[in-house]
Amino acid sequence: MHKILIVEDHTDIQDLLHDVLSPTYQILTALDGISALQVFNDQQPDLIILDLMLPNITGESVLKTIRKTSSVPILVLTAIQSKTKTVALLQAGANDYLTKPFDIDELLARIQVQLRALPSAIQPTHDVLKFNEICLDSNTHHITVASQPLVLPKKEFNLLKLLLKEPHQVFEKAQLYEAVWGEPYQDAENTLNVHLSNLRIKLNELAEQPHYIVSVWGIGVRLV
């Protein structure tokens, strides 16, 4: 069953969408931008229905943050009728949009179109990430390094999972922090560095080939 994350701060609209979609899909919900990013990172939904007018972090910011690390389909709900604005949303990474008030049948059809295009629609949902000696199972949260079990707290687990998804990509620190913590990267470098350092130490203690996480000067970090 596909997972759909509904990000909508109006509970009446969220309840309506939940009632309509829950017979067919597993529904996740968030009332603001911060919790949306947290739920996205923890649950990895197959599609996101994203309202633009959100408290804390705007829908546009949520869209841009998710697009730094994921190509998950995002269907934007907006009350804005401006063609210029909707074109900008599509250019920023939205897959589709509907203006409020929207037709439920049209929404269902657009969701089906996006989900049919997913490669995962015909593949098992079991999500196992591997890189050299590291193996991480996103569903069971089981990690092994050189065949030895590794238990990580939530933030370190999510950092490692993000790095493993794109093992050859250099991640900016702001990019990592916003994806894992679900909030803007402001004066948070020390927090991120501590978690990366702890993760690096734990990996190196078990690895036969240590130094998996390395710093790329002036940019961020990557796996090697």
Side-chain angles (χ1 to χ4, degrees):
M1 180 180 289
H2 286 296
K3 291 190 288 187
I4 295 180
L5 170 58
I6 301 171
V7 186
E8 171 62 66
D9 64 326
H10 289 92
T11 55
D12 54 343
I13 297 177
Q14 188 180 103
D15 290 344
L16 170 64
L17 292 173
H18 185 280
D19 291 343
V20 169
L21 298 175
S22 58
T24 308
Y25 305 106
Q26 180 182 344
I27 302 302
L28 311 168
T29 59
L31 291 170
D32 57 65
I34 291 177
S35 59
L37 291 172
Q38 292 172 338
V39 173
F40 166 75
N41 189 65
D42 292 342
Q43 299 294 327
Q44 296 297 302
D46 299 300
L47 181 141
I48 300 172
I49 299 174
L50 177 64
D51 183 35
L52 290 184
M53 303 299 292
L54 298 172
N56 300 323
I57 302 177
T58 66
E60 290 96 330
S61 296
V62 172
L63 171 63
K64 291 176 182 178
T65 298
I66 290 175
R67 276 295 171 260
K68 292 176 181 178
T69 60
S70 174
S71 59
V72 61
I74 299 177
L75 175 60
V76 169
L77 300 180
T78 175
I80 301 171
Q81 301 288 337
S82 167
K83 289 295 183 183
T84 301
K85 183 66 174 179
T86 54
V87 167
L89 286 170
L90 295 172
Q91 291 175 337
N95 295 81
D96 203 350
Y97 71 93
L98 280 175
T99 55
K100 295 180 180 180
F102 53 86
D103 180 79
I104 289 295
D105 289 335
E106 183 179 2
L107 173 68
L108 291 173
R110 290 175 183 263
I111 290 172
Q112 290 170 2
V113 168
Q114 294 300 325
L115 291 178
R116 278 202 301 267
L118 286 178
S120 59
I122 57 173
Q123 296 175 356
T125 57
H126 205 57
D127 189 5
V128 177
L129 302 172
K130 295 182 179 180
F131 181 73
N132 293 345
E133 302 171 304
I134 305 173
C135 181
L136 181 150
D137 188 321
S138 295
N139 294 328
T140 64
H141 280 219
H142 181 68
I143 306 170
T144 59
V145 181
S147 300
Q148 301 178 74
L150 172 63
V151 178
L152 295 175
K154 182 178 178 180
K155 290 291 191 293
E156 292 173 24
F157 178 90
N158 288 332
L159 280 171
L160 179 60
K161 182 169 72 171
L162 186 57
L163 291 169
L164 287 172
K165 283 185 174 181
E166 298 291 343
H168 302 293
Q169 177 178 331
V170 178
F171 287 88
E172 297 178 3
K173 288 187 175 181
Q175 184 179 353
L176 286 173
Y177 185 85
E178 290 174 1
V180 172
W181 273 261
E183 59 188 40
Y185 183 68
Q186 296 176 350
D187 301 321
E189 183 174 7
N190 185 61
T191 298
L192 178 62
N193 286 342
V194 168
H195 282 78
L196 285 172
S197 177
N198 290 338
L199 177 58
R200 183 184 290 112
I201 291 170
K202 293 172 184 177
L203 290 174
N204 289 347
E205 286 176 346
L206 298 178
E208 295 176 0
Q209 301 174 0
H211 309 301
Y212 269 109
I213 301 175
V214 298
S215 298
V216 179
W217 189 83
I219 303 178
V221 299
R222 61 168 295 185
L223 288 178
V224 295

